[in-house]
């Protein structure tokens, strides 16, 4: 598929990759096969985002609530991330992709944390797409960690509580150096945020599509960008352009 021209490209697209299990169930396959197929969709989406000129792509790969899944599935998801970094890091680096990880790193086991740190370090000066992987990520947990960090500064006498404002809270979130998502896509027909980027989504556009994540591809990604281009974002103000531009 050729890369279509679009009038308005979102700077930051975030995706809740849902439906791996149902994709597998429908085919009588184990859930792990759905996750592996989902990994292929990840690769295609990263490429498509780069081609479209999207600056930030955030993928919700493992939530802080996913620990309650069967141990084998948790291990499988950890293994997929490990393999993704090991196998794809060189190519991502070659494509000038910068990797950022958000989420609580404390609970990550064994070699995973050093691997993630290495991926961030190796790619930190890259200037094309920033691929943000949300791993062991939960928005409420992120906001709690930011609040604790501010409270510690207040207790140490470094911060006047009256000086705390929205920008300061943003600066303590895992996404401190990342702009808010312009577009949040969720696959599989579910229509909720599931503790994903709650603070950052204040003015995001939402798109819920019926396809399961393993079926997501470049064509669906560009369709989503086209829908985004047709939206009229007002950020609480009145419309600047009465007619929205469609790519
Ligand atoms: C939701 O499907 C998907 C996940 C919990 C994991 C998504 C992970 C990947 C696609 C692979 C790893 C990604 C990276 C970036 C390394 P589900 O299992 O909840 O599906 P269901 O709702 O149909 O059961």
């Amino acid at each position: 598929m050729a890369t279509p021209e679009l009038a308005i490209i979102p700077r930051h697209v975030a995706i809740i990759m849902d439906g791996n299990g149902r994709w597998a169930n429908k085919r009588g396959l184990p859930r792990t096969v759905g996750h592996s197929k989902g990994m292929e969709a990840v690769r295609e989406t990263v490429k498509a985002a780069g081609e479209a000129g999207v600056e930030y792509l955030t993928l919700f790969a493992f939530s802080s609530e996913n620990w309650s899944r069967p141990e084998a599935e948790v291990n499988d998801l950890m293994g997929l991330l490990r393999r993704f970094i090991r196998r794809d890091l060189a190519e991502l680096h070659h494509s000038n992709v910068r990797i950022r990880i958000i989420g609580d790193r404390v609970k990550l086991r064994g070699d995973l944390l050093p691997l993630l740190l290495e991926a961030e370090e190796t790619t930190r000066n890259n200037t094309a797409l920033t691929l943000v992987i949300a791993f062991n990520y939960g928005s409420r947990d992120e906001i709690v960690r930011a609040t604790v960090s501010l409270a510690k500064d207040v207790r140490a006498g470094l911060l006047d509580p009256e000086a705390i404002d929205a920008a300061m809270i943003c600066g303590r979130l895992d996404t401190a150096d990342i702009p808010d998502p312009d577009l949040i896509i969720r696959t599989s027909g579910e229509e909720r945020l599931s503790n994903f980027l709650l603070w950052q989504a204040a003015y995001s556009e939402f798109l819920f599509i019926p396809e399961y994540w393993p079926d997501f591809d470049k064509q669906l990604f560009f369709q989503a960008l086209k829908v985004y281009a047709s939206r009229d974002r007002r950020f609480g103000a009145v419309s600047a352009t009465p007619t929205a531009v469609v790519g």
Side-chain angles (χ1 to χ4, degrees), residues 17-22 31 35 39 61 66 69 77 81 213:
M17 309 181 288
D18 197 10
N20 293 350
R22 278 165 286 166
R31 293 174 60 81
H35 294 316
M39 206 57 250
N66 286 156
R69 295 187 175 210
L77 289 166
L81 178 62
W213 176 250

Side-chain angles (χ1 to χ4, degrees), residues 170-233:
C170 283
R172 303 286 171 124
L173 297 174
D174 297 348
T175 51
D177 56 340
I178 298 168
D180 288 344
D182 299 293
L183 172 65
I184 297 182
I185 303 169
R186 183 173 187 147
T187 57
S188 93
E190 308 290 353
E191 300 190 0
R192 54 180 174 269
L193 265 184
S194 301
N195 204 13
F196 184 52
L197 302 176
L198 301 181
W199 173 281
Q200 298 87 340
Y203 289 100
S204 302
E205 295 293 324
F206 292 96
L207 182 64
F208 301 104
I209 62 168
E211 288 82 2
Y212 294 142
W213 176 250
D215 290 326
F216 196 81
D217 59 8
K218 179 175 171 176
Q219 192 174 354
L220 287 171
F221 186 76
F222 275 90
Q223 259 176 37
L225 296 193
K226 198 168 172 191
V227 172
Y228 173 81
S230 72
R231 300 269 177 97
D232 180 19
R233 300 185 77 193

Side-chain angles (χ1 to χ4, degrees), residues 142-173 199:
E142 179 191 32
I143 293 168
V144 168
R145 286 186 282 109
T147 308
V148 169
S149 132
L150 289 169
K152 282 183 176 167
D153 281 3
V154 169
R155 187 175 61 189
L158 299 169
L159 178 62
D160 172 5
E162 305 287 342
I164 296 173
D165 59 9
M168 204 177 280
I169 294 173
C170 283
R172 303 286 171 124
L173 297 174
W199 173 281

